[in-house]
Amino acid sequence: KAGVTQTPRYLIKTRGQQVTLSCSPISGHRSVSWYQQTPGQGLQFLFEYFSETQRNKGNFPGRFSGRQFSNSRSEMNVSTLELGDSALYLCASSLGTGGAYSNQPQHFGDGTRLSIL
Amino acid sequence: AQTVTQSQPEMSVQEAETVTLSCTYDTSESDYYLFWYKQPPSRQMILVIRQEAYKQQNATENRFSVNFQKAAKSFSLKISDSQLGDAAMYFCAYRSPEGAQKLVFGQGTRLTINP
């Protein structure tokens, strides 16, 4: 079974641009979460999608948005990029969310390394 | 809000020896889930072990085991017979049953294995 696939692996943008990152979850997984990893702030939760609905959101500005499609694939968009948005963006998938799925682990992709010049 | 603290930024151990990584957390919840993930230079986060707070028995996965002390809010990871492939960043993470799949991570511990 294929793992979580994130594209692209590397991305270089300039300030003010926008960017879209993609995540394909493990087949059968319906929950997709996004995390930002930086040396200073560590790993921070961005948001989670399940059944095309945002279920939870971290403390990030509105420039960060996401969506999920009917096939569970998810995209994350960052508009008006700032230097501080340079980070490794990790996507994680799991079977479901909450309830009976609370003890289910998340499976992570290799991440997208975003650099802002 | 829950917080997770890993007080050891770096640790090193000789190959084949045992090492323990520390993790403490702060929460007012009585039921929750705890995880240890490793992140090698390849960047992918890999689940090492997980523990449900309602279970008193400490989780074990081959050479990896935890010491879960609920009252002390402590969740340490013990790696026995350390191998070169164990070298990685290790992250402790907390999940609330009310927070869907959201994980709260510690700052990580970089583990070096000396041959």
Side-chain angles (χ1 to χ4, degrees), chain B residues 5-8 20-24 36 74-77 92 109:
Chain B
T5 301
Q6 293 179 248
S7 59
Q8 307 153 315
T20 298
L21 309 184
S22 300
C23 172
T24 58
W36 277 98
S74 172
F75 183 59
S76 61
L77 174 70
C92 178
T109 296

Side-chain angles (χ1 to χ4, degrees), chain B residues 4 23 25 32-36 47 49-53 68 74-75 92-95:
Chain B
V4 178
C23 172
Y25 55 93
Y32 45 85
Y33 306 90
L34 297 166
F35 304 83
W36 277 98
L47 177 68
I49 199 165
R50 59 179 165 171
Q51 174 84 40
E52 290 91 342
F68 173 50
S74 172
F75 183 59
C92 178
Y94 174 103
R95 179 190 294 160

Side-chain angles (χ1 to χ4, degrees), chain B residues 54-101:
Chain B
Y54 64 85
K55 290 186 177 180
Q56 293 186 342
Q57 186 173 7
N58 290 323
T60 299
E61 289 288 342
N62 300 314
R63 298 182 295 107
F64 299 87
S65 61
V66 299
N67 183 4
F68 173 50
Q69 301 290 328
K70 190 173 184 179
K73 297 179 183 175
S74 172
F75 183 59
S76 61
L77 174 70
K78 185 172 82 171
I79 306 174
S80 303
D81 185 25
S82 298
Q83 300 176 0
L84 295 177
D86 295 333
M89 282 291 289
Y90 285 81
F91 294 93
C92 178
Y94 174 103
R95 179 190 294 160
S96 164
E98 304 300 323
Q101 294 296 86

Side-chain angles (χ1 to χ4, degrees), chain A residues 92-105:
Chain A
S93 75
S94 57
L95 283 169
T97 187
Y101 298 103
S102 292
N103 68 340
Q104 292 296 311

